[in-house]
Amino acid sequence: MSSHAASGAGRRKPHLLAHSPDDNVAVAVIEGLAADTAAFGVITENDTTFEVHVRHDIPIGHKVALADLKAGDTAIKYGQDIGKVIKDVAKGEHVHVHNVKTKRW
């Protein structure tokens, strides 16, 4: 994950939200998050901030990788396992059903 700045998330409107410092994905919380954006993010659990260069257009509600993820890795959101990475995902890329699957089946 990107380096965390001091608290002060209220000064800027975030592009991305992560819930836990352990998360390796964050959720787009604005419409029209475009590729090549230096996206500003907030970790809600501790009110720290991060920045990640977004490589793809990300629809609102979809996820962005906060670190390079390899096939077989676990995607972490809300500090919880949300699925298995099935295709390598570079930091800043779109994380969705094409590269992460549930472990339930």
Side-chain angles (χ1 to χ4, degrees), residues 36-58:
D36 251 357
T37 298
F40 173 67
V42 174
I43 300 173
T44 58
E45 185 177 290
N46 59 13
D47 200 34
T48 57
T49 62
F50 62 91
E51 189 171 286
V52 64
H53 179 260
V54 174
R55 297 172 179 235
H56 301 137
D57 293 343
I58 309 295

Side-chain angles (χ1 to χ4, degrees), residues 24-94:
N24 58 18
V25 299
V27 177
V29 293
I30 63 162
E31 291 282 356
L33 181 53
D36 251 357
T37 298
F40 173 67
V42 174
I43 300 173
T44 58
E45 185 177 290
N46 59 13
D47 200 34
T48 57
T49 62
F50 62 91
E51 189 171 286
V52 64
H53 179 260
V54 174
R55 297 172 179 235
H56 301 137
D57 293 343
I58 309 295
I60 192 169
H62 285 228
K63 296 172 290 301
V64 174
L66 297 179
D68 291 335
L69 304 172
K70 300 292 182 195
D73 286 351
T74 296
I76 305 292
K77 178 178 160 189
Y78 309 118
Q80 302 293 315
D81 175 339
I82 62 161
K84 181 170 98 175
V85 177
I86 59 168
K87 180 181 173 188
D88 291 357
V89 185
K91 181 178 180 177
E93 290 185 343
H94 187 201

